[in-house]
Amino acid sequence: MAADSGAITNEDSESGEEEGKHVKPFTPEKAKEIIMSLQQPAIFCNMVFDWPAQHWTAKHLSEVLQGKQIRFRMGTKRTDTAPQFETTCSYVEATLEEFLTWNCDRSSISGPFRDYDHSKFWAYADYKYFVSLFEDKTDIFQDVIWSDFGFPGRNGQESTLWIGSMGAHTPCHLDTYGCNLVFQVQGRKRWHLFPPEDTPFLYPTRIPYEESSVFSKINVVNPDLKRFPQFWKARRHMVTLRPGQVLFVPRHWWHYVESIDPVTVSINSWIELEEDHQARVEEAITRMLVCALKTAENPHDTRAWLNPTEVEETSHEVNCRYLNGAVSAFFDHYGTPKVVETQALSTNGEYVIKEELNVHNHMEVEQTSSHNLTLGTVKQEAASPFGPDLVPVIPGSQEPPSERGGMFESDGEDFVGKNGKRFGKLHYTKRQRMMSESENAVVEQIASNSTVAPSQTFISTDDLLDCLVNPQVTRIVAQLLIQGRSL
């Protein structure tokens, strides 16, 4: 069977949304404190009832945008085991009005969606930055009020819009920068989340390449467990996000997001974190290696490996400037650190780097830091912020959609947690036990990345890249590079 799934129902939380609508449960200061300390996903309720953006249905936005052309990603409603990466999708330029007409299955053969049977395809206007979408209507930025979560001045200008039909989804990935706040405006979305320490079980890859996105090779709603046997160890957290709710996704949590209603509208904002300064160095290293090797392999075709969202030049000269800029920005922020101790340690046959820097302690290799990940969570439990207005997303016993049926077998009903409870203690013992399994899985995970049979000796560029730009490797390289520049 697939990975242990986790799910909660937030249906109970809706009853509280009708009460006390004029008083928000958290002050901006308290909300920010929760966001900056919480190490598991959670849903904020009753925090956006007075936002003008709560009325931003797709129909309303079609009137606001007045015929503006938007790019839609078109995917198929299939249930095989391969992820639908953006490089394998097709694209349509259309207005929201044309999208809504097609989505009602009333499209004519002359419309922009004429080649896409509504019963077989979904459409997704994803990653639409407000500053581009509403460039001539900047007053609308004020309709999104992230300052209620403790980030003064943050509004639609730092936000992204997502509009999709049923079945529209993003492949499973993690964001290398920041944490994420997601406001659900219209329709429901189902989120499948996995903790950072389960990364080896998600078989990470940087192909297709997109800055700040590490993709999983697995279709998590219909996994190929013969090819990716470690995935069964991953701990799935699953929740249905409803209109009026805001999901907090902590740093480096993997997520697969699917629309389960005919039309969905979401607004998100990525919150910058202190760790992003080193992460930008890691991303610059990744970009240089991926672009160099993939361009050398086929200098005339980047479409097969470069995500359509990547529009910047990929030349080696540009990437060198990008890397130098990231390292310079790191030192501009921290000053020149003095290396107190740098030593190589061997843990379960793997080499990791441990250092103590006088200006920051965040530069840790995931293998070592993941052991301490639960400490903050355990400490947080002593004074838990959870309740009807902050619902934790926890692992449970609900099985995910079957391998045979995939995501379209779902009936759209909520999933409940273990024994039907909405809350519960985190599984600390299991979590800590999984740490050693995670470390032991790294080598096996990298070996399983090969697309050819073990008896064959051919190693492709992608096989090499999966090792070279594995997040664990680029983290070590970034640390060594920063230390070398500080000497």
Side-chain angles (χ1 to χ4, degrees):
M1 201 60 195
D4 286 345
S5 69
I8 64 165
T9 173
N10 47 40
E11 203 167 77
D12 293 340
S13 67
E14 289 188 308
S15 61
E17 293 178 5
E18 296 300 322
E19 303 174 5
K21 275 206 168 186
H22 300 295
V23 179
K24 299 196 174 184
F26 304 105
T27 64
E29 295 75 19
K30 181 61 178 178
K32 184 175 183 180
E33 178 187 332
I34 292 170
I35 290 167
M36 290 303 180
S37 61
L38 200 58
Q39 298 183 39
Q40 71 178 108
I43 291 177
F44 285 91
C45 303
N46 299 318
M47 287 292 288
V48 296
F49 56 80
D50 59 347
W51 287 21
Q54 69 173 320
H55 305 296
W56 283 18
T57 62
K59 183 170 180 17
H60 171 75
L61 289 170
S62 72
E63 297 167 357
V64 171
L65 292 170
Q66 299 175 338
K68 186 182 181 73
Q69 294 276 308
I70 299 175
R71 194 183 200 200
F72 288 85
R73 178 162 59 96
M74 306 302 296
T76 58
K77 295 179 178 180
R78 57 179 171 82
T79 56
D80 58 29
T81 59
Q84 287 195 61
F85 292 125
E86 290 160 68
T87 49
T88 64
C89 292
S90 52
Y91 294 84
V92 165
E93 298 286 337
T95 66
L96 271 179
E97 186 176 3
E98 290 168 328
F99 161 73
L100 291 172
T101 299
W102 170 80
N103 200 43
C104 292
D105 207 15
R106 296 195 304 266
S107 59
S108 66
I109 58 171
S110 60
F113 294 96
R114 60 185 176 275
D115 296 328
Y116 301 94
D117 185 336
H118 182 267
S119 65
K120 298 178 181 178
F121 288 87
W122 49 258
Y124 207 5
D126 51 359
Y127 295 102
K128 304 306 176 191
Y129 290 95
F130 276 47
V131 291
S132 300
L133 199 59
F134 304 108
E135 54 189 346
D136 55 347
K137 298 179 176 65
T138 55
D139 289 348
I140 207 170
F141 294 166
Q142 308 307 318
D143 288 6
V144 180
I145 315 169
W146 295 116
S147 56
D148 282 351
F149 289 85
F151 303 97
R154 181 178 288 265
N155 54 37
Q157 189 169 4
E158 296 84 18
S159 301
T160 311
L161 185 68
W162 310 69
I163 304 171
S165 65
M166 184 176 289
H169 64 272
T170 51
C172 186
H173 68 284
L174 68 79
D175 300 313
T176 58
Y177 301 149
C179 59
N180 198 359
L181 289 174
V182 186
F183 168 33
Q184 192 62 27
V185 180
Q186 179 182 4
R188 297 169 301 159
K189 280 187 172 178
R190 181 157 296 143
W191 285 70
H192 304 246
L193 302 111
F194 302 86
E197 59 269 28
D198 284 0
T199 291
F201 311 141
L202 273 298
Y203 297 82
T205 182
R206 294 313 298 262
I207 305 296
Y209 173 75
E210 176 182 271
E211 182 183 352
S212 80
S213 294
V214 180
F215 290 103
S216 169
K217 290 187 170 186
I218 302 171
N219 178 356
V220 298
V221 296
N222 192 23
D224 182 349
L225 294 178
K226 290 183 179 179
R227 185 179 175 193
F228 306 111
Q230 291 289 328
F231 178 61
W232 74 271
K233 297 179 182 178
R235 289 153 295 165
R236 187 190 306 258
H237 298 55
M238 192 156 56
V239 68
T240 300
L241 191 65
R242 299 169 176 272
Q245 298 177 331
V246 175
L247 175 66
F248 165 64
V249 182
R251 180 175 186 261
H252 285 186
W253 273 72
W254 292 85
H255 47 285
Y256 172 102
V257 191
E258 56 181 325
S259 298
I260 60 172
D261 277 330
V263 180
T264 61
V265 177
S266 309
I267 298 170
N268 88 294
S269 189
W270 286 283
I271 308 299
E272 301 82 5
L273 297 173
E274 186 72 13
E275 294 89 343
D276 291 349
H277 297 286
Q278 179 179 319
R280 290 190 184 93
V281 179
E282 296 170 19
E283 283 299 299
I285 294 167
T286 300
R287 182 183 183 88
M288 179 174 285
L289 287 171
V290 171
C291 292
L293 288 176
K294 294 300 289 184
T295 302
E297 181 182 56
N298 189 344
H300 305 296
D301 183 17
T302 62
R303 290 177 299 176
W305 60 271
L306 190 64
N307 234 30
T309 53
E310 288 296 310
V311 295
E312 297 180 7
E313 189 181 347
T314 58
S315 71
H316 189 68
E317 180 183 0
V318 169
N319 291 338
C320 281
R321 289 202 300 265
Y322 186 54
L323 176 58
N324 278 276
V327 173
S328 297
F330 180 94
F331 288 122
D332 286 344
H333 180 76
Y334 290 110
T336 303
K338 296 179 181 178
V339 179
V340 178
E341 176 187 7
T342 302
Q343 61 182 20
L345 301 176
S346 179
T347 304
N348 290 338
E350 297 177 20
Y351 287 96
V352 297
I353 302 298
K354 178 181 179 182
E355 62 280 293
E356 298 175 9
L357 304 181
N358 68 331
V359 292
H360 58 97
N361 296 318
H362 76 277
M363 292 174 56
E364 297 177 354
V365 175
E366 190 123 324
Q367 265 75 4
T368 56
S369 64
S370 62
H371 284 280
N372 300 321
L373 182 62
T374 56
L375 297 180
T377 314
V378 174
K379 184 179 180 181
Q380 155 228 309
E381 190 187 23
S384 174
F386 297 131
D389 297 305
L390 184 67
V391 184
V393 182
I394 60 176
S397 59
Q398 179 71 38
E399 290 293 334
S402 69
E403 290 188 35
R404 192 177 312 156
M407 66 180 178
F408 296 105
E409 187 178 80
S410 168
D411 59 7
E413 295 181 0
D414 280 335
F415 292 83
V416 296
K418 203 167 190 177
N419 300 323
K421 294 182 180 179
R422 184 160 55 92
F423 305 115
K425 292 184 178 180
L426 291 177
H427 302 187
Y428 298 118
T429 305
K430 178 181 178 182
R431 189 184 183 102
Q432 292 165 348
R433 182 173 68 249
M434 293 291 285
M435 297 304 178
S436 59
E437 293 179 4
S438 172
E439 290 170 349
N440 291 330
V442 174
V443 174
E444 182 177 345
Q445 174 256 309
I446 292 175
S448 298
N449 280 342
S450 176
T451 58
V452 296
S455 59
Q456 296 175 308
T457 57
F458 175 74
I459 296 176
S460 70
T461 304
D462 289 2
D463 294 332
L464 179 59
L465 278 171
D466 284 337
C467 300
L468 288 176
V469 295
N470 184 289
Q472 297 155 350
V473 175
T474 55
R475 186 163 298 111
I476 295 173
V477 174
Q479 292 168 355
L480 292 172
L481 186 62
I482 289 167
Q483 291 167 20
R485 292 290 295 169
S486 67
L487 295 177

